[in-house]
Amino acid sequence: MRIITTVAEARSLVRSKLRVLVPTMGALHKAHAELIRVAREHAGRNGEVVVSIFVNPLQFEPGSDYERYPRPEEVDEEFCQNAGVDFLFHPNVTEMYADDRSVFVDESSLSNTLEGKSRPGHFRGVCTVVAKLFNILAPDAAVFGEKDFQQLAIVRRVVRDLNFKIDIIAVPTVREEDGLACSSRNQYLNLEERKQAAVLHKALRAVAGASEKSAGDVLALARKVIKQAPLARIDYVELVDSETLQPAEMAGPNTVLVFAVFFGKTRLIDNIRLG
Ligand code: PAF
């Protein structure tokens, strides 16, 4: 595996093979292993799997966990090596952003709701860094997890509206044994919070298969289950159309239940398609 830290070096990679990118912020875990596995499946034995690790300051809203976000660099490098990654792009902040940067990528519709409402500026940061990674690494395809359902929809919109010639591959959410979605932020949870966080998957299972039910009924059910965990503090629970991300009135095949819930200071998100 070759480790690349500069944009110039990344640009100089001759692109003769199918290249599949897995963009990450590091602190790699088994969900990332699955993204890398899918990337390899897509690239084939002769293709190139590129992982980027960059904790992107632009997508952390003020007062959030940018400083304390885990950065286990050596462990991550070994993880990529063992996962059969060909190139690891691991730039620092000054390599990625000029001090006087003044151009950003703003998605102005899907970003206004859900995570975008709770985390102003977050998707501007995501869209900007993803567009930069696409330009720097020139992949044919890029792999994203369905846990970040809204991010996935927005990245697809960026690709469509800015005409990136890149296939976006969605990978189903990878879960721990008790159903909690794998996330680098799970490690912030203390033992009791971690135990109670299993209620999130219980809520998803409770509403799974709900069809022809009113949004009110589905949301009430999800909230009721989540509230069984005394430490859970709901940020939002919503039923939305999977394309527009606008609130849906009835549960059905094109709807997704999405939520963000705090356990202590840790904010966890998850979702399930209904119908
Ligand atoms: O999902 C993530 O880890 C990040 O938002 C991404 C896509 C790597 C951009 O920083």
mmCIF file of all heavy atoms in Angstrom, residues 54-86:
data_model
loop_
_atom_site.group_PDB
_atom_site.id
_atom_site.type_symbol
_atom_site.label_atom_id
_atom_site.label_comp_id
_atom_site.label_asym_id
_atom_site.label_seq_id
_atom_site.Cartn_x
_atom_site.Cartn_y
_atom_site.Cartn_z
ATOM 1 N N PHE A 54 -9.315 11.925 6.210
ATOM 2 C CA PHE A 54 -9.149 13.361 6.448
ATOM 3 C C PHE A 54 -10.266 13.825 7.380
ATOM 4 O O PHE A 54 -11.442 13.733 7.026
ATOM 5 C CB PHE A 54 -9.209 14.129 5.116
ATOM 6 C CG PHE A 54 -9.052 15.618 5.287
ATOM 7 C CD1 PHE A 54 -7.882 16.150 5.839
ATOM 8 C CD2 PHE A 54 -10.063 16.486 4.917
ATOM 9 C CE1 PHE A 54 -7.747 17.517 6.024
ATOM 10 C CE2 PHE A 54 -9.929 17.865 5.078
ATOM 11 C CZ PHE A 54 -8.761 18.374 5.635
ATOM 12 N N VAL A 55 -9.876 14.272 8.564
ATOM 13 C CA VAL A 55 -10.875 14.816 9.503
ATOM 14 C C VAL A 55 -11.110 16.254 9.047
ATOM 15 O O VAL A 55 -10.270 17.131 9.263
ATOM 16 C CB VAL A 55 -10.382 14.726 10.965
ATOM 17 C CG1 VAL A 55 -11.480 15.211 11.917
ATOM 18 C CG2 VAL A 55 -9.986 13.286 11.314
ATOM 19 N N ASN A 56 -12.212 16.439 8.389
ATOM 20 C CA ASN A 56 -12.489 17.667 7.644
ATOM 21 C C ASN A 56 -13.037 18.771 8.550
ATOM 22 O O ASN A 56 -14.210 18.732 8.922
ATOM 23 C CB ASN A 56 -13.512 17.313 6.552
ATOM 24 C CG ASN A 56 -13.995 18.518 5.788
ATOM 25 O OD1 ASN A 56 -13.259 19.494 5.640
ATOM 26 N ND2 ASN A 56 -15.237 18.453 5.312
ATOM 27 N N PRO A 57 -12.216 19.774 8.886
ATOM 28 C CA PRO A 57 -12.687 20.777 9.857
ATOM 29 C C PRO A 57 -13.947 21.502 9.381
ATOM 30 O O PRO A 57 -14.766 21.937 10.189
ATOM 31 C CB PRO A 57 -11.511 21.756 9.967
ATOM 32 C CG PRO A 57 -10.644 21.483 8.793
ATOM 33 C CD PRO A 57 -10.872 20.081 8.371
ATOM 34 N N LEU A 58 -14.094 21.601 8.067
ATOM 35 C CA LEU A 58 -15.204 22.381 7.507
ATOM 36 C C LEU A 58 -16.580 21.789 7.801
ATOM 37 O O LEU A 58 -17.584 22.482 7.743
ATOM 38 C CB LEU A 58 -15.006 22.429 5.982
ATOM 39 C CG LEU A 58 -15.191 23.762 5.299
ATOM 40 C CD1 LEU A 58 -14.204 24.762 5.840
ATOM 41 C CD2 LEU A 58 -14.974 23.583 3.783
ATOM 42 N N GLN A 59 -16.649 20.504 8.102
ATOM 43 C CA GLN A 59 -17.963 19.903 8.316
ATOM 44 C C GLN A 59 -18.330 19.781 9.797
ATOM 45 O O GLN A 59 -19.360 19.222 10.133
ATOM 46 C CB GLN A 59 -18.070 18.553 7.615
ATOM 47 C CG GLN A 59 -17.253 17.427 8.203
ATOM 48 C CD GLN A 59 -17.299 16.177 7.334
ATOM 49 O OE1 GLN A 59 -16.662 16.110 6.285
ATOM 50 N NE2 GLN A 59 -18.051 15.176 7.757
ATOM 51 N N PHE A 60 -17.451 20.314 10.668
ATOM 52 C CA PHE A 60 -17.750 20.303 12.105
ATOM 53 C C PHE A 60 -18.281 21.682 12.473
ATOM 54 O O PHE A 60 -17.564 22.677 12.290
ATOM 55 C CB PHE A 60 -16.493 20.018 12.923
ATOM 56 C CG PHE A 60 -16.045 18.583 12.836
ATOM 57 C CD1 PHE A 60 -15.383 18.115 11.708
ATOM 58 C CD2 PHE A 60 -16.277 17.699 13.889
ATOM 59 C CE1 PHE A 60 -14.957 16.791 11.623
ATOM 60 C CE2 PHE A 60 -15.859 16.369 13.808
ATOM 61 C CZ PHE A 60 -15.201 15.914 12.675
ATOM 62 N N GLU A 61 -19.493 21.746 12.970
ATOM 63 C CA GLU A 61 -20.026 23.040 13.349
ATOM 64 C C GLU A 61 -19.321 23.520 14.625
ATOM 65 O O GLU A 61 -18.804 22.697 15.387
ATOM 66 C CB GLU A 61 -21.548 22.999 13.507
ATOM 67 C CG GLU A 61 -22.107 22.098 14.564
ATOM 68 C CD GLU A 61 -22.132 20.602 14.189
ATOM 69 O OE1 GLU A 61 -21.456 20.179 13.230
ATOM 70 O OE2 GLU A 61 -22.806 19.863 14.910
ATOM 71 N N PRO A 62 -19.286 24.852 14.867
ATOM 72 C CA PRO A 62 -18.583 25.375 16.037
ATOM 73 C C PRO A 62 -19.073 24.692 17.314
ATOM 74 O O PRO A 62 -20.266 24.439 17.475
ATOM 75 C CB PRO A 62 -18.967 26.862 16.045
ATOM 76 C CG PRO A 62 -19.367 27.162 14.631
ATOM 77 C CD PRO A 62 -19.925 25.901 14.051
ATOM 78 N N GLY A 63 -18.126 24.368 18.177
ATOM 79 C CA GLY A 63 -18.497 23.751 19.464
ATOM 80 C C GLY A 63 -18.712 22.252 19.378
ATOM 81 O O GLY A 63 -19.052 21.619 20.366
ATOM 82 N N SER A 64 -18.520 21.658 18.200
ATOM 83 C CA SER A 64 -18.718 20.204 18.114
ATOM 84 C C SER A 64 -17.387 19.487 18.393
ATOM 85 O O SER A 64 -16.464 20.075 18.945
ATOM 86 C CB SER A 64 -19.334 19.818 16.769
ATOM 87 O OG SER A 64 -18.414 20.080 15.748
ATOM 88 N N ASP A 65 -17.278 18.231 17.975
ATOM 89 C CA ASP A 65 -16.177 17.407 18.470
ATOM 90 C C ASP A 65 -14.946 17.361 17.556
ATOM 91 O O ASP A 65 -14.216 16.378 17.573
ATOM 92 C CB ASP A 65 -16.700 15.990 18.743
ATOM 93 C CG ASP A 65 -17.341 15.351 17.497
ATOM 94 O OD1 ASP A 65 -17.611 16.085 16.526
ATOM 95 O OD2 ASP A 65 -17.559 14.132 17.493
ATOM 96 N N TYR A 66 -14.695 18.432 16.787
ATOM 97 C CA TYR A 66 -13.543 18.386 15.855
ATOM 98 C C TYR A 66 -12.231 18.066 16.583
ATOM 99 O O TYR A 66 -11.473 17.193 16.161
ATOM 100 C CB TYR A 66 -13.415 19.707 15.085
ATOM 101 C CG TYR A 66 -12.179 19.729 14.215
ATOM 102 C CD1 TYR A 66 -12.067 18.872 13.127
ATOM 103 C CD2 TYR A 66 -11.109 20.575 14.491
ATOM 104 C CE1 TYR A 66 -10.918 18.853 12.335
ATOM 105 C CE2 TYR A 66 -9.958 20.570 13.703
ATOM 106 C CZ TYR A 66 -9.877 19.704 12.626
ATOM 107 O OH TYR A 66 -8.748 19.685 11.854
ATOM 108 N N GLU A 67 -11.970 18.784 17.691
ATOM 109 C CA GLU A 67 -10.684 18.599 18.387
ATOM 110 C C GLU A 67 -10.554 17.193 18.947
ATOM 111 O O GLU A 67 -9.493 16.583 18.879
ATOM 112 C CB GLU A 67 -10.530 19.614 19.538
ATOM 113 C CG GLU A 67 -10.535 21.075 19.089
ATOM 114 C CD GLU A 67 -9.397 21.410 18.114
ATOM 115 O OE1 GLU A 67 -8.412 20.648 18.049
ATOM 116 O OE2 GLU A 67 -9.520 22.428 17.398
ATOM 117 N N ARG A 68 -11.665 16.677 19.512
ATOM 118 C CA ARG A 68 -11.526 15.374 20.193
ATOM 119 C C ARG A 68 -11.835 14.191 19.270
ATOM 120 O O ARG A 68 -11.789 13.041 19.680
ATOM 121 C CB ARG A 68 -12.377 15.328 21.460
ATOM 122 C CG ARG A 68 -13.869 15.250 21.254
ATOM 123 C CD ARG A 68 -14.611 15.020 22.594
ATOM 124 N NE ARG A 68 -16.049 14.947 22.344
ATOM 125 C CZ ARG A 68 -16.854 14.060 22.880
ATOM 126 N NH1 ARG A 68 -16.394 13.159 23.701
ATOM 127 N NH2 ARG A 68 -18.142 14.069 22.601
ATOM 128 N N TYR A 69 -12.148 14.483 17.987
ATOM 129 C CA TYR A 69 -12.450 13.388 17.060
ATOM 130 C C TYR A 69 -11.236 12.448 17.009
ATOM 131 O O TYR A 69 -10.094 12.907 16.858
ATOM 132 C CB TYR A 69 -12.774 13.939 15.661
ATOM 133 C CG TYR A 69 -13.493 12.918 14.807
ATOM 134 C CD1 TYR A 69 -14.872 12.778 14.881
ATOM 135 C CD2 TYR A 69 -12.784 12.068 13.962
ATOM 136 C CE1 TYR A 69 -15.531 11.810 14.122
ATOM 137 C CE2 TYR A 69 -13.434 11.105 13.206
ATOM 138 C CZ TYR A 69 -14.804 10.993 13.288
ATOM 139 O OH TYR A 69 -15.452 10.040 12.552
ATOM 140 N N PRO A 70 -11.440 11.119 17.153
ATOM 141 C CA PRO A 70 -10.288 10.208 17.241
ATOM 142 C C PRO A 70 -9.438 10.202 15.968
ATOM 143 O O PRO A 70 -9.969 10.245 14.858
ATOM 144 C CB PRO A 70 -10.942 8.827 17.459
ATOM 145 C CG PRO A 70 -12.387 8.981 17.145
ATOM 146 C CD PRO A 70 -12.733 10.428 17.279
ATOM 147 N N ARG A 71 -8.110 10.176 16.152
ATOM 148 C CA ARG A 71 -7.176 10.160 15.004
ATOM 149 C C ARG A 71 -6.087 9.109 15.240
ATOM 150 O O ARG A 71 -4.913 9.441 15.399
ATOM 151 C CB ARG A 71 -6.529 11.545 14.829
ATOM 152 C CG ARG A 71 -7.513 12.646 14.378
ATOM 153 C CD ARG A 71 -6.897 14.019 14.638
ATOM 154 N NE ARG A 71 -7.638 15.136 14.092
ATOM 155 C CZ ARG A 71 -8.642 15.743 14.699
ATOM 156 N NH1 ARG A 71 -9.074 15.326 15.873
ATOM 157 N NH2 ARG A 71 -9.259 16.784 14.132
ATOM 158 N N PRO A 72 -6.457 7.831 15.259
ATOM 159 C CA PRO A 72 -5.461 6.781 15.510
ATOM 160 C C PRO A 72 -4.692 6.452 14.233
ATOM 161 O O PRO A 72 -4.904 5.397 13.618
ATOM 162 C CB PRO A 72 -6.335 5.595 15.958
ATOM 163 C CG PRO A 72 -7.644 5.813 15.254
ATOM 164 C CD PRO A 72 -7.798 7.280 14.986
ATOM 165 N N GLU A 73 -3.756 7.344 13.863
ATOM 166 C CA GLU A 73 -3.154 7.281 12.523
ATOM 167 C C GLU A 73 -2.493 5.946 12.177
ATOM 168 O O GLU A 73 -2.763 5.369 11.125
ATOM 169 C CB GLU A 73 -2.146 8.414 12.370
ATOM 170 C CG GLU A 73 -2.854 9.754 12.456
ATOM 171 C CD GLU A 73 -1.996 10.915 12.015
ATOM 172 O OE1 GLU A 73 -0.844 10.681 11.604
ATOM 173 O OE2 GLU A 73 -2.492 12.052 12.083
ATOM 174 N N GLU A 74 -1.645 5.465 13.119
ATOM 175 C CA GLU A 74 -0.911 4.224 12.779
ATOM 176 C C GLU A 74 -1.845 3.034 12.673
ATOM 177 O O GLU A 74 -1.711 2.186 11.791
ATOM 178 C CB GLU A 74 0.172 3.958 13.827
ATOM 179 C CG GLU A 74 1.386 4.817 13.585
ATOM 180 C CD GLU A 74 2.411 4.723 14.680
ATOM 181 O OE1 GLU A 74 2.388 3.737 15.445
ATOM 182 O OE2 GLU A 74 3.228 5.661 14.781
ATOM 183 N N VAL A 75 -2.809 2.994 13.593
ATOM 184 C CA VAL A 75 -3.767 1.882 13.581
ATOM 185 C C VAL A 75 -4.572 1.908 12.273
ATOM 186 O O VAL A 75 -4.817 0.877 11.638
ATOM 187 C CB VAL A 75 -4.724 1.990 14.806
ATOM 188 C CG1 VAL A 75 -5.783 0.897 14.794
ATOM 189 C CG2 VAL A 75 -3.934 1.938 16.100
ATOM 190 N N ASP A 76 -4.963 3.106 11.859
ATOM 191 C CA ASP A 76 -5.728 3.236 10.608
ATOM 192 C C ASP A 76 -4.903 2.781 9.398
ATOM 193 O O ASP A 76 -5.416 2.128 8.484
ATOM 194 C CB ASP A 76 -6.175 4.683 10.398
ATOM 195 C CG ASP A 76 -7.416 5.040 11.214
ATOM 196 O OD1 ASP A 76 -8.042 4.110 11.776
ATOM 197 O OD2 ASP A 76 -7.757 6.230 11.286
ATOM 198 N N GLU A 77 -3.615 3.150 9.413
ATOM 199 C CA GLU A 77 -2.756 2.759 8.281
ATOM 200 C C GLU A 77 -2.647 1.237 8.199
ATOM 201 O O GLU A 77 -2.745 0.649 7.116
ATOM 202 C CB GLU A 77 -1.383 3.408 8.422
ATOM 203 C CG GLU A 77 -1.441 4.891 8.076
ATOM 204 C CD GLU A 77 -0.123 5.617 8.311
ATOM 205 O OE1 GLU A 77 0.910 4.966 8.543
ATOM 206 O OE2 GLU A 77 -0.160 6.859 8.255
ATOM 207 N N GLU A 78 -2.494 0.632 9.373
ATOM 208 C CA GLU A 78 -2.379 -0.830 9.409
ATOM 209 C C GLU A 78 -3.700 -1.477 8.954
ATOM 210 O O GLU A 78 -3.708 -2.474 8.229
ATOM 211 C CB GLU A 78 -2.051 -1.255 10.838
ATOM 212 C CG GLU A 78 -1.371 -2.588 10.909
ATOM 213 C CD GLU A 78 -1.037 -2.955 12.349
ATOM 214 O OE1 GLU A 78 -0.565 -2.090 13.101
ATOM 215 O OE2 GLU A 78 -1.304 -4.123 12.695
ATOM 216 N N PHE A 79 -4.791 -0.865 9.383
ATOM 217 C CA PHE A 79 -6.125 -1.346 9.005
ATOM 218 C C PHE A 79 -6.255 -1.376 7.474
ATOM 219 O O PHE A 79 -6.692 -2.351 6.878
ATOM 220 C CB PHE A 79 -7.163 -0.391 9.624
ATOM 221 C CG PHE A 79 -8.599 -0.771 9.442
ATOM 222 C CD1 PHE A 79 -9.322 -1.319 10.494
ATOM 223 C CD2 PHE A 79 -9.273 -0.545 8.237
ATOM 224 C CE1 PHE A 79 -10.666 -1.658 10.345
ATOM 225 C CE2 PHE A 79 -10.597 -0.872 8.070
ATOM 226 C CZ PHE A 79 -11.302 -1.428 9.137
ATOM 227 N N CYS A 80 -5.833 -0.283 6.846
ATOM 228 C CA CYS A 80 -5.943 -0.187 5.376
ATOM 229 C C CYS A 80 -5.027 -1.202 4.699
ATOM 230 O O CYS A 80 -5.409 -1.852 3.720
ATOM 231 C CB CYS A 80 -5.604 1.224 4.905
ATOM 232 S SG CYS A 80 -6.865 2.409 5.348
ATOM 233 N N GLN A 81 -3.833 -1.305 5.244
ATOM 234 C CA GLN A 81 -2.870 -2.276 4.707
ATOM 235 C C GLN A 81 -3.480 -3.683 4.727
ATOM 236 O O GLN A 81 -3.483 -4.399 3.727
ATOM 237 C CB GLN A 81 -1.600 -2.223 5.580
ATOM 238 C CG GLN A 81 -0.527 -3.216 5.234
ATOM 239 C CD GLN A 81 0.335 -2.710 4.077
ATOM 240 O OE1 GLN A 81 0.849 -1.595 4.135
ATOM 241 N NE2 GLN A 81 0.455 -3.502 3.050
ATOM 242 N N ASN A 82 -4.042 -4.059 5.901
ATOM 243 C CA ASN A 82 -4.613 -5.396 6.049
ATOM 244 C C ASN A 82 -5.859 -5.594 5.191
ATOM 245 O O ASN A 82 -6.206 -6.716 4.838
ATOM 246 C CB ASN A 82 -4.971 -5.679 7.515
ATOM 247 C CG ASN A 82 -3.732 -5.749 8.372
ATOM 248 O OD1 ASN A 82 -2.640 -5.999 7.863
ATOM 249 N ND2 ASN A 82 -3.878 -5.508 9.672
ATOM 250 N N ALA A 83 -6.544 -4.488 4.887
ATOM 251 C CA ALA A 83 -7.783 -4.600 4.104
ATOM 252 C C ALA A 83 -7.489 -4.637 2.597
ATOM 253 O O ALA A 83 -8.408 -4.681 1.788
ATOM 254 C CB ALA A 83 -8.715 -3.440 4.438
ATOM 255 N N GLY A 84 -6.218 -4.559 2.228
ATOM 256 C CA GLY A 84 -5.861 -4.687 0.815
ATOM 257 C C GLY A 84 -6.039 -3.401 0.014
ATOM 258 O O GLY A 84 -6.247 -3.434 -1.202
ATOM 259 N N VAL A 85 -5.944 -2.262 0.713
ATOM 260 C CA VAL A 85 -6.069 -0.964 0.031
ATOM 261 C C VAL A 85 -4.803 -0.707 -0.798
ATOM 262 O O VAL A 85 -3.698 -1.039 -0.371
ATOM 263 C CB VAL A 85 -6.264 0.140 1.107
ATOM 264 C CG1 VAL A 85 -6.135 1.533 0.526
ATOM 265 C CG2 VAL A 85 -7.613 -0.057 1.804
ATOM 266 N N ASP A 86 -4.962 -0.117 -1.972
ATOM 267 C CA ASP A 86 -3.791 0.167 -2.817
ATOM 268 C C ASP A 86 -3.141 1.500 -2.467
ATOM 269 O O ASP A 86 -1.924 1.610 -2.395
ATOM 270 C CB ASP A 86 -4.204 0.182 -4.295
ATOM 271 C CG ASP A 86 -4.706 -1.173 -4.731
ATOM 272 O OD1 ASP A 86 -3.926 -2.136 -4.662
ATOM 273 O OD2 ASP A 86 -5.903 -1.288 -5.096
#
